[in-house]
Structure formats: C-alpha cells, structure tokens
C-alpha cells in the first residue's frame, strides 16, 4: 500500500517509522510518501495561507498549492481531508481503506482550508469532536489504524480479528501471569484449558463490556439468539449482584 500525505510539517511523521509500522515499511508492506505542499507555492516566501475574505481571525490555507501538490502525485487513490466537521473515523473505515492500493491524506493547519479544497477530496474525516492545531496527528492515527490491518504487519495474523470494534463489540478482558496479583485472581475458566468454555466466557464478557461502555454499539447490532440469551444472563447477573 502506498500512502501520500500532504503536510506543511513532514518532520512530524517520525512515529510511523517506529515499531510495527516502521518494520512494515522496511519490509516493503507499505510506503509513506510525505509531500510538503509549501513546495508548490508560487508566492514570495513560499506562503500557502492568506487572510480570510470577509474578515476574521486566523489564516486560511489556499487551494492552489494543494491542487498542484495533488496533481504531482503518481497515484492518488482515495483522497481524504482531515477536518473537525468531517464524518467521524472508525474501525470500519480503517477496514475499507486497508483494501486500497493508494491513499492520500491532506493535513490542514491554522484556521483550516479554503472551502474549495474540499472539492479536491473524496472524503472529509474527523477523529472526534475536538479541535487540534493540525491534521498531522489525526492523519497518523488513521494511518496507524489502517496499516496495522494489512497482512503481515502485526506479528500474529489472527490478532486483528478478535479486537474491539472488529466485530462490532468491545474486546473481552485479557490476563497474563501471574494468576494471582495481590489477591486479584484470573478467572478460573481461563486456566481450565476448556476452549469451548473459554470462547463462551469471552463472548459473554465482550457483550458485557459493550453493554456497559458502549450500549450504542449493541443497539446497532443484529444479535444472534445466543447473544440474546447471554444478554438476559448478564442482566440477571447484574440484578443478582445488586440484591
Ligand atoms: N477552524 C477549523 C479548525 C481548524 S484546525 C474549524 O473550526 O473547524 C486546523 C486543522 O487541524 C484542520 O484543518 C484539520 O486538518 C486539523 N484538525 C483539527 N481537528 C481535527 C479533528 N478533530 N479531526 C481531524 N482533523 C482535525
């Protein structure tokens, strides 16, 4: 996979050179092409922003350098703009994007983009309801979430399958040694070696965690008959705990 990033601060992208994503690049599983769109400015001092028409605070990124930077790319693929007003990024989008050959992200700065920049993109995406100084951190988050789904990036090929959101539920609790930490014991079932029981426990716990922390995800879900039964049990167990 080839990922282009249009940014004024290419030096910010060092986190993607480290750990699994860094190794993935060395192994040729994906490639990061950082493009400073300041290089495409034809104004004195290579400026890329200007004051807003109509007045107001801050500086607005101009459309021309970004258009020229996009035109310079060999393979653009899907073009994504980072902006707080975009649709909120999620795991499903990461899964869809991970099937693309090429992706291009555009990082804003200052007050944001001239409105006409949005017409150059296929999607406008936000990472949440808060405002950052630039699109670099959002872009790195989205690249990380996308690239880690590519084959061979995570050590254990199975690990993305059972994670939070991958099947619409949050992840079940995980434990490792010691089996007893200052009196806090690992649930017996996980030490039992009974894989049927362990799978059932994990499914129950995933449902329970989702019900507690993200009930909105359950509302959207087509529950299996087994999940309906499990949810009934979860409610009964909760009631029993209260009594
Ligand atoms: N004036 C704009 C905010 C600009 S913030 C507004 O009120 O909407 C500067 C840049 O940071 C944006 O152009 C965008 O690229 C990036 N950015 C800030 N918050 C973001 C978020 N939540 N998600 C994605 N990108 C964000």
């Amino acid at each position: 996979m080839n990922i282009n990033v249009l940014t004024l601060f290419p030096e910010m992208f060092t986190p993607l050179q480290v750990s699994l994503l860094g190794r993935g690049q060395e192994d040729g599983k994906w490639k990061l092409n950082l493009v400073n769109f300041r290089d495409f400015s034809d104004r004195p001092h290579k400026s890329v922003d200007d004051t807003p028409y109509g007045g107001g605070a801050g500086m607005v990124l101009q459309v021309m350098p970004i258009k020229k930077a996009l035109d310079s790319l060999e393979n653009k693929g899907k073009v994504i703009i980072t902006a707080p007003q975009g649709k909120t990024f999620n795991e499903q989008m990461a899964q869809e994007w991970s099937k693309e050959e090429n992706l291009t992200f555009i990082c804003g700065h200052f007050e944001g983009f001239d409105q006409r920049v949005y017409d150059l993109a296929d999607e406008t995406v936000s990472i949440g309801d808060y405002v950052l100084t630039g699109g670099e951190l959002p872009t790195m988050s989205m690249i990380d979430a996308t690239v880690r789904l590519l084959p061979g990036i995570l050590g254990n090929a199975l690990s993305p399958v059972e994670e939070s959101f991958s099947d619409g539920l949050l992840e079940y609790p995980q434990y490792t040694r010691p089996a007893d930490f200052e009196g806090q014991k690992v649930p017996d079932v996980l030490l039992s070696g009974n894989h049927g029981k362990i799978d059932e426990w994990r499914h129950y716990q995933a449902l329970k965690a989702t019900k507690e922390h993200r009930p909105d995800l359950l509302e959207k879900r087509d529950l299996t008959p087994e999940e309906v039964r499990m949810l009934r049990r979860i409610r009964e167990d909760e009631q029993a705990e209260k009594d």
Side-chain angles (χ1 to χ4, degrees):
M1 172 181 247
N2 169 52
I3 301 185
N4 308 297
V5 179
L6 272 50
T7 171
L8 295 174
F9 300 96
E11 66 275 20
M12 280 182 77
F13 284 79
T14 48
L16 302 182
Q17 311 301 339
V18 183
S19 182
L20 299 174
L21 271 67
R23 197 171 324 139
Q25 280 194 80
E26 282 166 20
D27 294 348
K29 303 222 159 65
W30 74 289
K31 212 170 81 206
L32 182 64
N33 176 33
L34 297 168
V35 179
N36 190 336
F37 56 89
R38 192 180 292 289
D39 297 340
F40 295 84
S41 164
D42 45 21
R43 289 175 51 210
H45 312 296
K46 298 260 173 217
S47 328
V48 288
D49 59 338
D50 211 332
T51 53
Y53 276 122
M59 298 293 270
V60 176
L61 289 168
Q62 293 176 294
V63 62
M64 190 49 104
I66 295 176
K67 168 80 166 59
K68 283 189 178 162
L70 276 179
D71 288 346
S72 79
L73 296 173
E74 235 165 82
N75 294 303
K76 277 193 305 203
K78 196 188 270 293
V79 178
I80 299 145
I81 286 203
T82 54
Q85 79 264 31
K87 76 176 170 203
T88 311
F89 181 66
N90 62 27
E91 186 69 19
Q92 237 174 336
M93 285 154 86
Q95 278 167 6
E96 280 162 29
W97 293 352
S98 69
K99 293 176 200 139
E100 303 279 337
E101 286 279 307
N102 298 284
L103 287 175
T104 298
F105 290 90
I106 306 178
C107 304
H109 237 89
F110 316 115
E111 267 307 294
F113 303 103
D114 181 299
Q115 188 59 32
R116 293 162 291 188
V117 175
Y118 295 100
D119 299 337
L120 304 174
D122 299 301
E123 290 191 53
T124 303
V125 182
S126 160
I127 59 162
D129 291 345
Y130 43 89
V131 180
L132 301 167
T133 53
E136 285 76 13
L137 290 169
T139 294
M140 280 189 261
S141 301
M142 294 191 273
I143 290 177
D144 188 312
T146 304
V147 168
R148 70 192 285 285
L149 299 175
L150 297 178
I153 295 286
L154 300 181
N156 173 356
L158 282 178
S159 42
V161 177
E162 284 191 5
E163 278 172 330
S164 295
F165 310 115
S166 60
D167 68 347
L169 296 177
L170 301 182
E171 197 185 49
Y172 46 78
Q174 297 268 37
Y175 297 89
T176 185
R177 284 176 188 74
D180 185 336
F181 174 69
E182 297 179 351
Q184 289 180 284
K185 293 209 172 74
V186 172
D188 286 338
V189 57
L190 297 178
L191 310 174
S192 70
N194 181 332
H195 289 288
K197 278 256 156 28
I198 292 172
D199 285 348
E200 191 193 321
W201 182 85
R202 286 181 165 165
H203 196 164
Y204 174 96
Q205 294 295 333
L207 271 173
K208 190 168 180 233
T210 311
K211 177 176 176 290
E212 197 173 316
H213 303 295
R214 293 295 306 276
D216 58 303
L217 294 178
L218 284 188
E219 275 159 34
K220 282 184 240 153
R221 188 178 176 81
D222 267 338
L223 296 168
T224 64
E226 194 195 359
E227 289 176 338
V228 172
R229 279 195 298 277
M230 277 182 177
L231 278 169
R232 207 177 299 139
R233 232 174 75 212
I234 290 169
R235 271 185 224 108
E236 285 165 8
D237 290 352
E238 281 172 354
Q239 195 55 44
E241 266 171 43
K242 272 192 220 146
D243 293 344

